[in-house]
Amino acid sequence: MRLEPFTLPVDGSIVAGLRSAATEGTRVLALHGWLDNAASFVPLADALPDLQLVAIDLPGHGHSAHLPHGTQYNTPGAICHVLDVADALGWDRFTLLGHSMGAGIASLTAAAAPERVERLVAIEALGGLRGPEDETAERLREHVRAARALPSKKLRVFADLAAPVRARMMANQLSEPCARLLVERGVMPVEGGYSWCSDQRLMLPTAMRMSEAQIDNLLAAIECPTQVIYATPAQSYYPEPLRSERIKLLRDGRLDVFPGTHHLHMEHPQLVADVIARFLAE
């Protein structure tokens, strides 16, 4: 299934993304991971030809607009943005598909707006990243220091795409074709070559994180059927047994685990697509 680029006016801003040409089938809104973009779902889309798939660039990523100066990238804002996009698409109820950060946003959206989300597919995350309560003050200090220093930072310029492609391959254990997909949508031409087009504010340390008890409460509030897909071995920031314990909080959850890396849905799209297709057909 070929995904076509589109833009959509949403709440006075512009959302960009990639979407299928299908006008029938399950409505699926796809949310990518941190510093990725809508191209994250290109390999998976080829293996799921019967869906109305809309993959957006989240604010500050890919070709979507950055948030206005003085505003913050945070979870409540991301949830409202997802619902605003669905409204702009004319979708009352829909399935959410998310990878990594996008899976965190998707799962919390399902908890916050159960009347809108029919089904949830979460790849490599469920809920948000936890923050120990005794680290709250230091985390906030780090965020404030970094935010105030941000105006003095300069964008890195690459002479060609080879260097950023290598950087993504090394950072995320990605193959060259998958890294190139993300990079080509994640850079912009500047004098002297290319620079990342993502908002620099996305690199700031998170000011506040929820406790595990807060995340547990939100996961228990998800009403829709949920399919979770993890790669093994687990990522260091989302280890076992924590990530498997979270599945037990879901009212209607199921889990599939496959050997692979964090971008399992890009590197092994047919494997992941088979699980999604089976889940949506239930």
Side-chain angles (χ1 to χ4, degrees):
M1 175 175 59
R2 180 176 173 81
L3 296 181
E4 300 291 345
F6 75 96
T7 57
L8 190 68
V10 176
D11 196 26
S13 188
I14 295 296
V15 171
L18 301 168
R19 68 183 304 173
S20 68
T23 57
E24 296 182 355
T26 303
R27 295 170 169 177
V28 178
L29 184 57
L31 311 177
H32 60 77
W34 179 58
L35 299 182
D36 286 352
N37 51 64
S40 174
F41 296 101
V42 168
L44 194 59
D46 291 337
L48 292 167
D50 298 325
L51 303 181
Q52 291 188 67
L53 179 63
V54 175
I56 61 171
D57 294 330
L58 289 163
H61 295 78
H63 297 173
S64 285
H66 297 185
L67 290 183
H69 180 73
T71 58
Q72 295 283 330
Y73 291 91
N74 56 41
T75 300
I79 293 170
C80 290
H81 181 74
V82 169
L83 297 174
D84 288 343
V85 169
D87 289 345
L89 292 168
W91 290 3
D92 180 40
R93 287 177 60 77
F94 51 93
T95 291
L96 276 174
L97 163 63
H99 169 248
S100 194
M101 178 190 74
I105 294 170
S107 53
L108 298 182
T109 302
E115 73 284 359
R116 301 295 300 274
V117 183
E118 290 181 329
R119 287 177 177 263
L120 169 66
V121 180
I123 303 171
E124 279 287 90
L126 185 66
L129 290 177
R130 64 179 175 174
E133 294 176 0
D134 59 1
E135 296 177 4
T136 302
E138 183 54 36
R139 179 173 294 280
L140 182 60
R141 290 169 184 165
E142 289 179 4
H143 174 85
V144 171
R145 285 194 294 265
R148 291 177 57 80
L150 195 59
S152 64
K153 292 186 176 294
K154 294 183 178 180
L155 289 174
R156 183 179 177 185
V157 176
F158 304 98
D160 54 42
L161 295 185
V165 168
R166 284 196 303 272
R168 287 307 306 258
M169 291 173 67
M170 293 177 63
N172 301 117
Q173 297 176 281
L174 283 167
S175 63
E176 193 276 342
C178 290
R180 185 168 294 277
L181 269 177
L182 295 175
V183 167
E184 288 179 346
R185 192 172 177 86
V187 297
M188 58 184 177
V190 296
E191 185 177 353
Y194 299 89
S195 185
W196 299 114
C197 58
S198 52
D199 193 332
Q200 291 190 90
R201 289 175 291 172
L202 294 167
M203 298 292 291
L204 294 174
T206 305
M208 295 279 187
R209 281 187 179 171
M210 291 182 289
S211 68
E212 194 63 31
Q214 289 175 307
I215 296 170
D216 288 354
N217 179 264
L218 288 163
L219 293 179
I222 296 174
E223 299 178 6
C224 66
T226 301
Q227 172 70 59
V228 181
I229 303 171
Y230 290 149
T232 186
Q235 297 289 312
S236 60
Y237 57 81
Y238 190 39
E240 290 290 1
L242 169 66
R243 67 178 194 169
S244 293
E245 288 295 319
R246 287 188 178 182
I247 312 297
K248 299 175 183 178
L249 297 165
L250 296 171
R251 302 184 191 186
D252 185 3
R254 64 276 287 148
L255 171 65
D256 281 84
V257 181
F258 300 103
T261 56
H262 186 54
H263 286 73
L264 181 74
H265 66 304
M266 296 188 76
E267 300 290 357
H268 303 287
Q270 189 62 59
L271 191 69
V272 175
D274 289 345
V275 174
I276 294 173
R278 182 188 68 212
F279 171 61
L280 295 181
E282 288 180 358

